[in-house]
Every structure is written in C-alpha cells, then in structure tokens.
C-alpha cells in the first residue's frame, strides 16, 4: 500500500544533494537498493567518516583531516605570500601550474548576494585575521574572472586596502568568464607571473 | 598539497549514484561538507538504515521492511488476480487509480538486453513460482507501453502460456511510449477495465 518509511526517508535525504529533485532522488534510491548495495554501503560509510573527520584548516580554510593542513605546516613555502582562491579545486590547479610557492586562503565560495553568500559566508573575517600574522606581505587574489569572482576580488581588495600588505590580482590572462579549473597550466602560470597591484 | 583521502573517498563514493560524474560528485561533496552537514548526516544515516532494513517482499518483490509486505498480507485483496508492474512507483499509480483490488508482482525493472537486464534480473523465476500458489487465476500485465515494457509483457506472456492461468494485458489506453507513472488516474483505470487476454 505504502512506501516503507525508511525508503521515503532515503529519497527525501537524497534531495539534499545539489541538483537532485524528487524524480532523480527516487531513481537514485531504487538504484542503490536494487543494483548497488556495495556502492551504497561505501557511500554511507565514507559520508559518515568525512563528516566526522574533515574540517577546515585553521590557517588556509581548505578541507583537511588535521587542525592545520600539510601545506600550511610546510616550511618550504613562502610565508610572505598569501594566495586567495575560491575553491579547493582552484588551489589544486595553482599547485599543478608550479608557478607559486606561497601560502593559500580558500574562501570556499565567492560573493553572491542573490544566493545569500556574503562576506561572512566566504570567511572574510578569518582571512583578515590570517593576513595579520606579521609574515604576510602580499595577497595574491586568484578568484575566477567571472562576474562574481571579480566582485569578490574587488571586495577583498578594498577590505585589505588599509592593512600593511600589498594586494595583487593574477593577470587577466584567463579568458573573460573563464574559470581557473578549466584553464591550462601555462596560461595560469603566465597569469600569476603578470599579476599586478590593485 | 593533496586532497584529504576521506574527501577523495567521498567524491568517489558519490559516483555510484546514477547520472553523477566526477564534476558533480565533487560539487556534491563540497556542498555537503560546506553547507549542509545536517543533510549529509541524515543521508548517511538513512542510507545505512535503509540498507539494513529494506528488503524485497517474498511475495510481491516490492521494497518492504518486512518479510511479506502489508499489501500481500491483506485479506481484503483479491488473491486470484496478480498484476505485474515494472517499478514500485507503478504499483503506487495503480493503487491511486482505485481500479484494481488484486495482488502485485514488481519486476523491479524491464527486459533490456542492451543494459544486461535479462529474465533473471527482473526475477521471472520468482514470478513463475508466485503464479503457482494455487490461488492466482489471472495475471494482469501492466508493464509500460514502451518498447522495453511491451517486450517484457510479451516475454512474460509466453513464459506463462503453459501455466493454468489467464494472462491479460492492460488496454492500450495509454499513449504509445507512455509510462504509467505519468498518466492520469482515469486513463489508467480505463486501461485496466479494458484489459484483454493475450
Ligand atoms: Zn591549511
Ligand atoms: Zn508484498
């Protein structure tokens, strides 16, 4: 007569995933229960594990299982440089471009007032505190060259204007509207080299 | 430097969901860890709970938390009629159409050789056993009027030809290519009333 409550719960729970509506949540639940018990068990476990163990690095705000992540603990990085990126994937792209040896701050987003994402949601209070550690001399803004990424760079630039740090923006070597994650390493490296003070 | 292993595990695990590629798995993982811990916890729990408690009804093959589901245990249903549907959602549509008071068998799929879904995958061995309980007189085939649903109905019809049961197909009142789940109750009810022997 009726769907088991636990199945209804599962379908409803799957809707917390971005882009998943009622129909695809149902399809996912059926698939997991019907054809992929192993995958479902793995998902349940890795989700529970990640929730328990993954936190934000106290220094760079990136995902980590430690209090301060490996990169922030490294003594081989240039502590006078702090690069601000939107997402962890952007940090990975920067690392892969082998053009930068400083530290990072990951905003975990970009300013987007229409989506309710303001300065607090991208942790600018923590960035401000991070900047004032007495070591940082230059902030390299490496947010995307999208409308929101540019607005975020502008906002952060204004915010840091009064602080005793140089604020630079990676060069607009990226195509307008482009995202770091999709650009080749060479272009990204060039953009870092051509960064300019703002 | 590197993504935490547990985050990589989570992203990889999310890819077991149908229609989820590497990019959207990453987006989902970030979203859960960044913006919806409560939803993620609920998902992990309901998934673990469902995996432990949801099984297939021994009689109708539908999802249930019991050995034999509520509908199959009901004494108010006509045990001489057995309606074969593809998915649980189809059973729900049948119930909502208030046109049928018999029992069900849920295939949990339809024949689809190209996807590796053959007679075994849609549990036709169990259907065959179910049909021979001494009570069932008529099998009502209510698979979809899609190419695969029709092929499934045909195959099941042939399979049951030698058994001492009448095999009927709900009337083609549904538009060709139509799916039970998307049809209005009236059309579906009419199709049941006009079912014909095959
Ligand atoms: Zn860090
Ligand atoms: Zn049942």
């Amino acid at each position: 007569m009726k769907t088991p409550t636990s199945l209804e719960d599962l379908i409803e729970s799957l809707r917390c995933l971005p882009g998943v509506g009622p129909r695809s949540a149902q399809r996912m639940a059926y698939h997991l229960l019907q054809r992929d018990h192993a995958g479902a068990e793995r998902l349940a476990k890795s989700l529970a594990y990640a929730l328990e163990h993954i936190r934000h690095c106290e220094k760079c705000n990136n995902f980590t299982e430690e209090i301060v992540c490996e990169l922030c603990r490294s003594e081989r990085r240039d502590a006078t440089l702090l690069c601000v990126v939107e997402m962890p994937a952007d940090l990975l792209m920067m690392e892969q471009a082998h053009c930068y040896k400083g530290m990072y701050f990951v905003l975990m987003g970009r300013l987007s007032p229409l989506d309710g994402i303001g300065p607090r949601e991208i942790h600018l209070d923590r960035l401000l505190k991070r900047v004032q550690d007495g070591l940082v001399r230059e902030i390299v803004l490496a947010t995307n060259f999208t409308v929101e990424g540019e607005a975020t760079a502008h906002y952060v630039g204004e915010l840091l204007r009064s602080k005793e740090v140089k604020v630079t923006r990676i060069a607009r070597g990226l195509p307008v509207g482009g995202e770091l994650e999709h650009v080749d390493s060479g272009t990204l490296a060039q953009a870092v080299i051509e960064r300019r003070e703002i």
Side-chain angles (χ1 to χ4, degrees), chain A:
Chain A
M1 241 83 84
K2 58 179 178 36
T3 308
T5 315
S6 54
L7 179 55
E8 274 176 355
D9 280 350
L10 175 57
I11 294 170
E12 188 57 36
S13 300
L14 284 162
R15 296 200 51 196
C16 78
L17 298 171
V20 174
R23 288 269 302 160
S24 56
Q26 190 188 61
R27 194 163 52 94
M28 286 173 169
Y30 287 177
H31 173 85
L32 292 175
L33 292 171
Q34 179 69 11
R35 310 215 182 278
D36 197 5
H37 261 233
E41 259 165 41
R42 191 182 159 190
L43 176 55
K45 278 182 191 153
S46 62
L47 192 50
Y49 186 93
L51 279 169
E52 199 176 346
H53 293 89
I54 294 183
R55 54 170 80 206
H56 293 283
C57 171
E58 282 192 358
K59 289 192 80 171
C60 72
N61 198 39
N62 197 4
F63 291 125
T64 179
E65 292 179 21
E66 296 153 301
I67 294 170
V68 174
C69 79
E70 190 184 343
L71 193 152
C72 288
R73 290 200 316 272
S74 169
E75 294 183 355
R76 299 170 59 193
R77 313 286 308 197
D78 183 349
T80 68
L81 291 174
L82 185 69
C83 178
V84 177
V85 293
E86 295 182 16
M87 297 299 288
D90 302 328
L91 185 156
L92 289 177
M93 286 304 296
M94 287 290 292
E95 289 298 292
Q96 280 165 29
H98 297 293
C99 58
Y100 178 77
K101 280 292 160 201
M103 315 301 280
Y104 290 95
F105 187 87
V106 185
L107 298 171
M108 293 287 173
R110 75 282 310 157
L111 286 178
S112 181
L114 291 179
D115 301 317
I117 300 174
R120 179 196 295 259
E121 281 69 31
I122 58 171
H123 314 282
L124 294 190
D125 47 339
R126 291 186 51 201
L127 172 60
L128 214 54
K129 194 167 151 246
R130 174 73 184 81
V131 165
Q132 291 164 308
D133 72 345
L135 294 170
V136 175
R137 295 267 186 78
E138 178 182 347
I139 310 288
V140 182
L141 297 175
T143 55
N144 290 320
F145 280 95
T146 55
V147 174
E148 289 171 345
E150 286 277 55
T152 304
H154 180 77
Y155 191 95
V156 174
E158 289 299 313
L159 193 69
L160 299 176
R161 190 172 292 280
S162 58
K163 311 295 165 199
E164 292 191 349
V165 288
K166 184 159 93 172
V167 181
T168 57
R169 177 84 167 109
I170 57 171
R172 195 189 290 269
L174 287 73
V176 172
E179 299 183 319
L180 261 72
E181 212 183 329
H182 298 297
V183 93
D184 65 289
S185 295
T187 309
L188 184 55
Q190 196 59 34
V192 170
I193 292 160
E194 293 183 354
R195 67 185 186 270
R196 62 194 166 73
E197 195 159 353
I198 59 174

